[in-house]
């Protein structure tokens, strides 16, 4: 019988750092992520997301997580895609880290988004998750540019962004739950990423999935999967 990885290669991608693993969520992972969200992500008087999906009963919040993941999978095309991974630490789902793009084959620009369960915040995991996803984007998918943003009252997210070498790229005002929020925008160009490039992050399963990201597969070893994986396993 044909496997999911054969039919849908993005499901086989794994990104590993010495601390965090990012992987395509199976059903159990999605349920764990939904339960984590239901336990709370932020204080009630704040809303760090464009869409206030964290409002509602625990069951409603859990269903929002499931529906969003199902929807992004169903709407995937090489011209517009979103690879949303679960972040796993010591075998436990602690949050999610995503990367998405439109017309990536032309512009080679991605954006990222993430959240962590409250019990796992403030421990440096968010920085590690973002570093892992940037490695996938730049080393695995040949991105030229990564963009992100956060509201000006979200110092933790902004701290992660600044620590990874992004530079300011303006701001914009957004209406969220009847309030005007200022989003600070940042960009990371490939040269800036290369200057901080890590050699302890493993990419697995990227090459067969590249056509679904709008890219050529490329010659064997283009993504460095086996070389980097070996480096991590050897410590």
């Amino acid at each position: 019988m044909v496997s999911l990885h054969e039919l849908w290669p993005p499901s086989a991608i794994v990104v590993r750092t010495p601390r965090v693993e990012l992987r395509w969520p199976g059903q159990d992972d999605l349920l764990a992520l939904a339960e984590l969200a239901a336990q709370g992500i932020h204080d009630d008087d704040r809303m760090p997301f464009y869409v206030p999906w964290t409002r509602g009963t625990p069951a409603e919040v859990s269903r929002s997580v499931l529906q969003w993941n199902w929807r992004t999978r169903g709407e995937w095309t090489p011209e517009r895609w979103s690879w949303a991974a679960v972040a796993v630490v010591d075998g436990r789902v602690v949050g999610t880290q995503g990367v998405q793009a439109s017309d990536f084959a032309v512009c080679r620009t991605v954006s990222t988004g993430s959240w962590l369960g409250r019990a796992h915040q403030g421990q440096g995991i968010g920085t590690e998750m973002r570093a892992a996803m940037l490695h996938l984007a730049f080393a695995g998918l040949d991105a030229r540019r990564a963009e992100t943003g956060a509201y000006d009252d979200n110092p933790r997210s902004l701290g992660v962004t600044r620590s990874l070498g992004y530079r300011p790229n303006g701001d914009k005002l957004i209406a969220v739950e009847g309030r005007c929020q200022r989003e600070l925008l940042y960009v990371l160009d490939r040269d800036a990423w290369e200057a901080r490039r890590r050699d302890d992050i493993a990419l697995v399963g990227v090459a067969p999935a590249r056509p679904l990201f709008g890219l050529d597969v490329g010659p064997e070893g283009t993504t460095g999967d086996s070389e980097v994986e070996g480096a991590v396993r050897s410590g």
Side-chain angles (χ1 to χ4, degrees):
M1 180 181 294
V2 67
S3 70
L4 176 62
H5 291 176
E6 291 175 290
L7 285 177
W8 194 252
S11 68
I13 295 175
V14 180
V15 188
R16 295 191 183 101
T17 81
R19 190 177 183 191
V20 173
E21 177 177 280
L22 301 183
R23 67 184 184 222
W24 181 274
Q27 179 173 296
D28 289 344
D29 287 336
L30 281 181
L31 291 173
L33 189 67
E35 181 179 1
L36 187 67
Q39 295 169 2
I41 300 172
H42 56 81
D43 293 339
D44 289 341
D45 61 351
R46 296 184 59 248
M47 177 47 63
F49 305 114
Y50 290 154
V51 177
W53 62 271
T54 49
R55 302 296 191 207
T57 67
E60 289 169 339
V61 171
S62 291
R63 284 195 289 269
S64 292
V65 171
L66 297 177
Q67 288 181 295
W68 186 87
N69 278 272
W70 293 334
R71 182 170 62 253
T72 57
R73 296 178 184 196
E75 294 177 348
W76 183 305
T77 68
E79 294 75 32
R80 184 180 179 87
W81 48 260
S82 176
W83 192 76
V86 285
V88 180
V89 175
D90 297 329
R92 184 178 181 183
V93 173
V94 299
T96 182
Q97 174 73 59
V99 61
Q100 49 275 331
S102 297
D103 300 313
F104 181 70
V106 178
C107 297
R108 297 298 176 94
T109 298
V110 301
S111 60
T112 58
S114 65
W115 58 262
L116 278 168
R118 295 192 73 168
H120 309 289
Q121 296 174 11
Q123 303 172 35
I125 298 173
T127 303
E128 194 77 353
M129 289 163 47
R130 181 95 65 86
M133 193 60 88
L134 289 172
H135 198 87
L136 171 62
F138 285 109
L141 301 177
D142 305 325
R144 300 192 190 107
R145 177 181 174 114
E147 299 174 341
T148 192
Y151 298 139
D152 59 4
D153 62 353
N154 192 346
R156 283 183 174 174
S157 179
L158 293 170
V160 169
T161 295
R162 292 164 180 153
S163 74
L164 291 171
Y166 289 77
R167 59 178 172 82
N169 193 36
D171 63 3
K172 61 182 177 181
L173 300 179
I174 300 173
V176 180
E177 295 189 311
R179 296 171 52 221
C180 186
Q181 292 274 70
R182 180 178 177 231
E183 183 182 22
L184 304 180
L185 306 176
Y186 289 82
V187 63
L188 180 68
D189 294 318
R190 187 176 187 91
D191 287 347
W193 173 79
E194 289 280 5
R196 297 167 176 257
R197 180 171 182 162
R198 290 171 51 171
D199 61 3
D200 61 348
I201 300 179
L203 297 177
V204 178
V206 178
R210 282 169 58 95
L212 284 166
F213 290 91
L215 304 172
D216 294 333
V217 173
E220 186 67 25
T222 294
T223 64
D225 288 6
S226 59
E227 177 183 351
V228 181
E229 175 73 358
V232 171
R233 285 178 176 166
S234 64

